[in-house]
Amino acid sequence: MILYETTFIVNPQSDDAVIEEKVKAISDLILANGGKIVHEDRMGTRRLAYPINKLHQGYYATFLHESDKSVLAILDRHMKLGEEYMRHLTIRFEADPERVYGDKKEDYRIPRKIMAKKPDSQSETAEIKIAPSPSEAAAEADSASETAEIKIVPAPEETAAEADSASETAEIKIVPAPEETAAEADSQNETAEIKIVSATDEAEAEEKKAADEKPEDEEL
Amino acid sequence: MAMMRRRKICRFCENKIYYLDYKDEKMLRRFTNERGKILARRISGNCAIHQRNLTRAVKRARVMAIMAFASESYR
């Protein structure tokens, strides 16, 4: 038993009852020969892309059925002989019926979001990165507050003569410094008392490094 | 950059569609020109698999008078 899709066109000029009868004849043939109808789809009367037998419209009906291959010959013969059938086509259906007829119908017209998404995600992650670092620093500020206060003081002193541009860089550098001390503080959680001392030492060392780096930044 | 031509992505691959229904005239029309000719891969950007499926679908649609073999409105 294989899944087939049989579509056929019935002459639309005949009465509705006749059309219905012709459509039903096909489903009856399928059922009578041990087939099982999975889905029935009526496209109804629609315009043909080109005239068939001098007719410009046709009534389309489709049966998705699970049948033995012997049924196909019977259907073919029936529709060739029946004058009301204008065209018919049976194909082996190799897709998930749900995706063609069901609610999960596939749509190729989904807008392209790949290009639009990338900058958003980057900015989001960037924002996330920025956001927690001060909060973490604030949470562990008890231990790091001393170092933070000290940091602010020496930087202007060193760059006091160099005025505005230097102070801006100094202000910017206050932000990453607590992050580093906080990260190091995390690793040194167990020895709380020692932490303060070492953190300050390290912070001072980092300040010196930062101070060394400042002139380079300005040159650039 | 204006010089860099963006590589076309197969629409069907993008939306993970593997079966192209020959009765979906709207879809098929997007991949044929006004005369009803199937667009080349280099124009439509389809991958080989989907271009083959599309071609099959268009040809089936022509048999069933859903698509035209050749458009009359040619000047």
Side-chain angles (χ1 to χ4, degrees), chain B residues 3-15:
Chain B
M3 288 295 285
M4 275 180 67
R5 203 168 289 170
R6 189 161 50 80
R7 186 156 156 59
K8 284 173 189 163
I9 308 162
C10 177
R11 284 159 181 278
F12 301 111
C13 288
E14 207 176 331
N15 294 315

Side-chain angles (χ1 to χ4, degrees), chain A residues 101-114:
Chain A
Y101 295 108
D103 298 332
K104 288 190 278 182
K105 187 163 168 46
E106 290 176 332
D107 193 356
Y108 74 100
R109 284 174 298 249
I110 298 165
R112 188 172 284 143
K113 286 179 182 171
I114 300 162

Side-chain angles (χ1 to χ4, degrees), chain A residues 26 31 49 53-54 57 62 68 71 75 78 101 126 131 134 144 148 152 155 172 188 200-201 214:
Chain A
I26 301 298
L31 293 171
N53 301 337
K54 294 177 185 172
Q57 288 191 324
T62 302
D68 195 75
V71 179
L75 288 177
H78 177 80
Y101 295 108
I152 298 160
I172 294 161
Q188 292 172 349
T200 52
D201 293 342
K214 272 172 204 164

